[in-house]
Amino acid sequence: MEGKTREEVEKSGMIDTWLMKHRLIYTGATRHPLILSIRDGTVDLSAYKRWLGQDYIFVRAFVPFVASILIKAWKESDDATDMEVILSGMASLNDEIAWFKSEAPKWGVQLTDIVPQKANQDYCRFLESLMSLDVKYTVVITVFWAIEAVYQTSFALCLEDGSKTPAELRETCQRWGNDGFGQYCNSLKKIANRRLEKASDDVLSAVEVALLRVLELEVEFWNMSRGDA
Ligand SMILES: Cc1ncc(CO)c(N)n1
């Protein structure tokens, strides 16, 4: 946060400060060519199918990660409502798993046959490393926000006025791009910013590193849809 006093950063929120600082990689994660192709109607449906199968595996690995955050919130948080926001996130993951199971057969994707690709394995391994009790609540709640926010921002773009998203993909975009999901992401962001305000410089650096890693992993995850991994 060079050039800004700590007080100034706290007013605008640490997260927005980081997003401005790391604009390029954030844009890479939230306006990936796959998303832009959905939005302009030129999407290669085999790329969508590859994404679908890989994301089902990711979401299954995401559940225990979110469970580990719930435990940390219960132990470390100064605000009892944090747990309720995280719990609502777990409930939407339950819906997501059911959705993948009903969506996959429509595209001839057999979920039991999916082999996780390298970018997916890397991402799942990263999540697993953050489940350790040594990793602070402030780090994981910010990572949680970032993971959800990348999808919310990406898919909301495909629903904007003027987008030419194919009819058969609108429901997918609605799943993450809807306003309710946007509000949920904002609740996570508020929690993260509140924790970051009180964080030590060491914790702040650890969060920034983890946030950048998420953005990198999200870009690599979208890249898997090209099928040249
Ligand atoms: C790779 C990835 N990032 C974020 C989300 C949001 O839940 C998801 N389903 N998959």
Side-chain angles (χ1 to χ4, degrees), residues 90-215:
M90 295 204 75
S92 62
L93 289 173
N94 186 40
D95 291 346
E96 270 174 41
I97 288 176
W99 177 79
F100 278 103
K101 287 185 173 174
S102 70
E103 178 75 358
K106 296 184 193 167
W107 298 91
V109 172
Q110 182 67 259
L111 292 177
T112 50
D113 293 348
I114 306 294
V115 179
Q117 299 296 297
K118 180 170 183 299
N120 204 353
Q121 289 172 10
D122 289 349
Y123 210 159
C124 294
R125 231 180 285 126
F126 172 70
L127 292 183
E128 208 173 330
S129 73
L130 297 178
M131 290 184 218
S132 158
L133 288 170
D134 301 336
V135 182
K136 293 258 187 313
Y137 175 56
T138 306
V139 176
V140 291
I141 194 73
T142 309
V143 163
F144 186 24
W145 164 78
I147 294 172
E148 298 288 43
V150 166
Y151 265 40
Q152 201 278 327
T153 308
S154 297
F155 285 111
L157 197 67
C158 303
L159 298 172
E160 280 177 0
D161 288 346
S163 63
K164 301 191 187 81
T165 298
E168 65 269 37
L169 297 186
R170 288 199 72 85
E171 191 192 298
T172 306
C173 299
Q174 280 289 347
R175 169 151 293 282
W176 289 279
N178 77 76
D179 290 342
F181 199 79
Q183 279 157 25
Y184 153 69
C185 289
N186 263 328
S187 307
L188 288 176
K189 186 178 180 182
K190 264 199 204 153
I191 296 172
N193 270 327
R194 189 195 78 225
R195 297 288 307 191
L196 290 164
E197 269 175 38
K198 295 178 200 147
S200 67
D201 286 343
D202 281 355
V203 170
L204 284 180
S205 327
V207 179
E208 189 175 10
V209 168
L211 176 63
L212 281 171
R213 187 71 186 123
V214 167
L215 297 174

Side-chain angles (χ1 to χ4, degrees), residues 39-50:
R39 173 189 157 96
D40 71 16
T42 63
V43 59
D44 167 8
L45 292 175
S46 62
Y48 173 75
K49 287 195 249 180
R50 276 190 291 269

